[in-house]
Amino acid sequence: MDWAAWFDAPDFEFARQVLQRGVAALYFVAFLSSLNQFPALLGERGLLPVPDYLEAFSRLRRPTLFRWRYSDRLLRAVCGTGMAISATLVAGLPQLGPPWVPLLAFLALWLLYMSIVNVGQTFYGFGWEMLLLEAGFTVAFLGSDQTDPPRTILILVAWLVFRLEFGAGMIKIRGGREWRDLTALYYHHETQPMPGPLSRQAHLLPKLFHRVEVLGNHFAQLVVPFFLFAPQPLASIAAGIVIFTQLWLVATGNFAWLNWIAIVLAFAAVSDPVAHAVLPFLPLNWHPAYSGDETPLWWLGLTLAATLLLVVLSYWPIRNLFSHHQLMNASFNRWQLVNTYGAFGTVTKQRVEVAVEGTMDEDPDETADWQEYGFKGKPGDVRRVPRQWAPYHLRLDWLMWFLPLRTVHEEWFYAFLAKLLEGDRTVLRLLRHDPFDGERPRWVRARTYLYRFSSRAEFRETGQRWIRTPLYEAIPPLSLRRAPGRQQ
């Protein structure tokens, strides 16, 4: 049928390879992150135990495999299964079979990870969780090597990139004045949740460069996304701009897999001829054995049904994009499909860090020997070079950044302090440095400090990458007898 040929996009095989393997790789990272951190944060004896959460919300309507029963063993089985499926997709094995094989593989990843996210509470309350879920569902319908990539699904992936970029751009324009007067990046590199190894160098660049950065950001997020739907090669050029700007964010910060998934998804607009022109070693004809094969009608019908579903669900995000009360990182359905995205509508001007300290002394006054716990990602040691963690997500470190912006009196944070007093090994493994080598401190407390990057002159003089100033004691000394929720 000639009319059906329009739905095939034979010139986008490279895009399909990147989308399927790239999204699968990020699912692998997400499951690995959960395997390593979920039991300590949310497990049976975690900071916010899932069994308690499920008991309190017995009618939890969000879909999850843990609705009826949770155990750390089951969680590890879910993560292991997800990692195994992801690895096969990265290797391209399901793609060698009929199109329903990678479809089922991606839908399995979507359902398994959704089961984790929907009981993850505040530790999974990040926009890139729903972004990964939506991406996994959408690329599930890209088919296999035995069919051409479906054009409508590629358009829907580009539509996902549009919502991600344009939504973030509109949040900024409607948000803090610093985005409109071009001063936002005077502060952002220094105050972002988890700086990377090059963040200080980026912060010390001239202010004129930072103003140009903001202008470039507005152009990349408010203008470029429309060209993702333009004819070639304009669409590929637009995708290239998105990829370049996201790589700059990768180099200057740690935003879990947010930037990496944006890079992967942007390839939906890159055609094979353009990819071959830029990288001549890439073939123009990826699967000559299948050239000329017609797409099975059942597969065409399935992809069109998925397309119709996602188009209908797009009504709410479109309305949100043009609303004066635009929501950021919100889902309009329980399956977390066709969501709204956005980040950093306002930029923090100063960096306040919560430091956690403990002591073995009997009397917890200022003369006690207070030792500071070291975190893997968040700033602490003023001489330490921040590490590059993304796309891996350090969930505890990220929530530590939010404490001074909201309140230190969070349930999970008091539970964290109690675990330190108990010398809990699973929680201590989330940290970079335990000053007591597994022993139980008698007291712990939380203090706040003002952090700023050192100037080049200050670094030459002191060797410090951060300059920190003590502020106040956020939580006074606690012992096991005086920890919240315990009998004294």
Side-chain angles (χ1 to χ4, degrees), residues 453-474:
F453 278 131
S454 62
S455 67
R456 293 184 178 88
E458 288 171 326
F459 177 74
R460 286 193 297 268
E461 181 180 348
T462 66
Q464 297 181 6
R465 289 171 173 81
W466 294 98
I467 303 297
R468 78 175 190 175
T469 305
L471 293 178
Y472 57 90
E473 189 176 68

Side-chain angles (χ1 to χ4, degrees), residues 171-187:
I171 282 285
K172 292 177 176 65
I173 291 298
R174 291 172 172 147
R177 180 180 176 182
E178 62 272 13
W179 287 109
R180 296 188 293 276
D181 66 16
L182 308 183
T183 62
L185 293 180
Y186 289 4
Y187 318 100

